Amino acid sequence: MNQPTPPMPEQPPILPPAQRKSRTNLIIVGAAVAIIAAIIGTGVVVVQAQDDSKPATTEASAPAEDVAAPAVEEADEPDPDPTFPPLSADDFTMTLRTTDRQCFGSAGCNVTVEPKLEFTGNFMDIDPDAIYEITYEIRGGDSGPVIETAELMDETTLNYTPTSISTPSSSTKVTVEVTDVITQGA
């Protein structure tokens, strides 16, 4: 007398859209409450840790004159703003990257170069909020030295304009030298 078992449904029952939306809202609200509770709990732990770090004082350990005086807590003085020494041309080295060259036989070449800057000083001396104007001189062109300025900001971003010069021959070596560094206030 085995009774056949009823066939199992192939798909789980589908909830009506209103009930599914209600569950989604409950999950979102529950997650938000858990995050807020974690933030508040962390804040309480941090405040308690700061309060526990203060040294305990008792009236018995204080001199007799200080017992009558009201207790005054010393205010924490903010850290002074860090100071950065001025940078100089000796703190940088520069090379040139040739991005375009058109030569005309014995008539020379038209060359476009871009500066590649390297900081050789102490990295802790760079003010992250300052803008450094780095002046450099490019030599090797027909018309004499070309003076350009690049700006170093955010400690790593170098803004410059590519420089085009004409050289007397294809064998002329184009060189560069950092000549001055000016710090613009932060």
Side-chain angles (χ1 to χ4, degrees):
M1 293 213 181
N2 281 341
Q3 291 183 353
T5 59
M8 296 293 289
E10 292 182 22
Q11 296 180 356
I14 298 175
L15 298 174
Q19 196 172 12
R20 196 175 329 152
K21 186 175 183 182
S22 172
R23 281 188 183 174
T24 303
N25 288 342
L26 285 175
I27 292 170
I28 292 172
V29 169
V33 168
I35 291 170
I36 291 171
I39 292 171
I40 291 172
T42 304
V44 170
V45 170
V46 169
V47 169
Q48 287 177 349
Q50 289 176 349
D51 289 342
D52 293 343
S53 66
K54 292 180 183 174
T57 59
T58 61
E59 291 183 24
S61 65
E65 299 105 36
D66 292 339
V67 172
V72 178
E73 289 188 33
E74 292 182 25
D76 291 336
E77 293 184 26
D79 292 336
D81 290 333
T83 57
F84 299 94
L87 299 180
S88 70
D90 295 335
D91 292 320
F92 296 93
T93 59
M94 186 177 285
T95 57
L96 294 174
R97 175 178 169 252
T98 302
T99 59
D100 188 34
R101 178 187 307 262
Q102 295 176 341
C103 293
F104 308 101
S106 62
C109 299
N110 290 335
V111 180
T112 302
V113 293
E114 296 178 350
K116 291 181 68 177
L117 187 68
E118 183 177 332
F119 182 67
T120 58
N122 182 355
F123 190 73
M124 299 304 290
D125 291 345
I126 296 180
D127 183 349
D129 298 322
I131 298 174
Y132 296 96
E133 291 182 358
I134 301 166
T135 303
Y136 54 98
E137 187 174 303
I138 300 172
R139 295 185 196 107
D142 283 340
S143 301
V146 175
I147 297 175
E148 294 282 357
T149 300
E151 287 184 344
L152 176 65
M153 60 183 66
D154 300 327
E155 298 176 342
T156 58
T157 304
L158 185 67
N159 292 327
Y160 59 90
T161 302
T163 305
S164 295
I165 60 172
S166 296
T167 61
S169 72
S170 61
S171 63
T172 302
K173 183 173 182 178
V174 179
T175 61
V176 66
E177 179 184 353
V178 176
T179 59
D180 193 21
V181 177
I182 298 174
T183 305
Q184 298 297 323

